[in-house]
Amino acid sequence: MPSDVTIVEVSPRDGLQNEAVHLSTADKVELVTRLVEAGARRVEAVSFAHPRVVPAMADAEAVMAAAPRRDGVSYIGLVLNRRGLDRALDAGVDEVNAVVAVSDAFSRRNQGTGTEEAVRVAAEVVAAARSAGLRTTVTLATAFGCPFEGEVHPDRVADVAARAAEGADELCLGDTIGVGVPTQVRDLADAVRGRVGDALPLRWHFHNTRNTGYANAVAALGTGSTVLDASAGGIGGCPFAPAATGNVATEDLAYLLERMGHRTGLDLPALLPTAAFLADRLGHPVPALLPRAGTFPG
């Protein structure tokens, strides 16, 4: 397994988008600042979805304008179309993440269009973003299962990956509703690499809805991947998927990886208070367990 693992921090975007309480711009910037000070170096800070569709992300430009700029820190903006990319470029993001849902039903709920149209749009976004000098990721949502269509076959994921990720710097496979298990991780890695080759890095986005997210993360490392998404406090979910609860918690995942001998670059004692900050601002406890128990040895 790889020694160095990059955790892409997604709490400011995927973590907050599904919360009933919408944090102020100042609180979002404080969250981003806390994450950066704790060692996060790739942060998915904002989404440029239409504010009417995802109101929690309506202040994306203001967040980016106030986010601390540090050497080695890369801010990611999620975009769903060319208009979102234009906003992302104007806001000064370092990377863009284009999303394609593998299942048609979810794609229509999430983006208002079918998978094939989403593939075309993602290709346009990737090409334009690369021309502007930005790093690009294509995320395949519902790669492990769809809340409306059920099981998604690995061959379907591989087929969409081969077309959607052309020209991208990274491909992310997303378990949008938290139904995946480690054997699926291995099957998807084999199927996708069989179509796109080994040169395109694979990144993984797991939800812990059914308490399999951490096992899936370890399985992903076993396939040779070195990049995993996680969310401080374990907050998150998808507004368009029923019961798609939280992401794997950054604190818990980092503890697991560090105890296994991997380096994440995160300062856990510095990160742990962020869970209490989020619980206070959101008005409810967060799922992460490490902030309750503490690190070991203490």
Side-chain angles (χ1 to χ4, degrees), residues 212-230:
T212 59
Y214 301 96
N216 292 338
V218 173
L221 296 187
T223 71
S225 295
T226 62
V227 186
L228 301 167
D229 286 2

Side-chain angles (χ1 to χ4, degrees), residues 52-124:
R52 176 180 52 80
V53 179
V54 187
M57 298 288 109
D59 58 348
E61 285 83 357
V63 172
M64 283 303 306
R69 295 290 181 168
R70 308 279 175 84
D71 290 343
V73 173
S74 183
Y75 289 124
I76 307 168
L78 182 138
V79 300
L80 299 178
N81 50 41
R82 182 55 194 260
R83 169 57 181 153
L85 175 62
D86 290 341
R87 290 178 60 199
L89 293 174
D90 290 342
V93 301
D94 303 297
E95 308 180 37
V96 295
N97 183 6
V99 178
V100 175
V102 176
S103 63
D104 271 308
F106 187 84
S107 182
R108 296 188 186 282
R109 298 284 188 103
N110 188 53
Q111 292 168 248
T113 187
T115 299
E116 294 308 309
E117 176 64 13
V119 167
R120 186 192 67 77
V121 171
E124 178 184 345

Side-chain angles (χ1 to χ4, degrees), residues 129-266:
R130 285 178 63 91
S131 295
L134 271 61
R135 177 185 174 94
T136 60
T137 300
V138 172
T139 291
L140 299 187
T142 61
F144 288 77
C146 172
F148 311 112
E149 296 182 12
E151 299 287 356
V152 176
H153 198 280
D155 289 346
R156 165 71 172 176
V157 180
D159 176 64
V160 175
R163 292 177 290 120
E166 185 173 355
D169 297 299
E170 179 180 68
L171 176 67
C172 180
L173 300 178
D175 186 8
T176 308
I177 56 173
V179 294
V181 294
T183 49
Q184 279 184 285
V185 174
R186 294 190 290 272
D187 290 346
L188 280 174
D190 289 344
V192 169
R193 286 189 172 126
R195 292 294 302 274
V196 305
D198 295 327
L200 183 65
L202 292 186
R203 167 179 154 192
W204 301 82
H205 181 97
F206 296 116
H207 284 222
N208 200 42
T209 311
R210 293 165 177 82
N211 209 30
T212 59
Y214 301 96
N216 292 338
V218 173
L221 296 187
T223 71
S225 295
T226 62
V227 186
L228 301 167
D229 286 2
S231 173
I235 62 171
C238 178
F240 308 101
T245 51
N247 296 276
V248 293
T250 305
E251 306 92 330
D252 298 358
L253 179 62
Y255 174 80
L256 169 65
L257 297 179
E258 296 278 350
R259 289 281 287 175
M260 291 175 64
H262 302 294
R263 295 182 295 267
T264 66
L266 292 174

Side-chain angles (χ1 to χ4, degrees), residues 3-35:
S3 294
D4 292 302
V5 178
T6 298
I7 295 180
V8 178
E9 178 58 59
V10 301
S11 60
R13 197 280 302 174
D14 195 21
L16 296 179
Q17 71 174 6
N18 202 40
E19 290 288 338
V21 174
H22 295 171
L23 265 59
S24 68
T25 300
D27 282 342
K28 292 177 183 177
V29 173
E30 180 174 350
L31 171 60
V32 171
T33 302
R34 285 171 172 267
L35 298 169

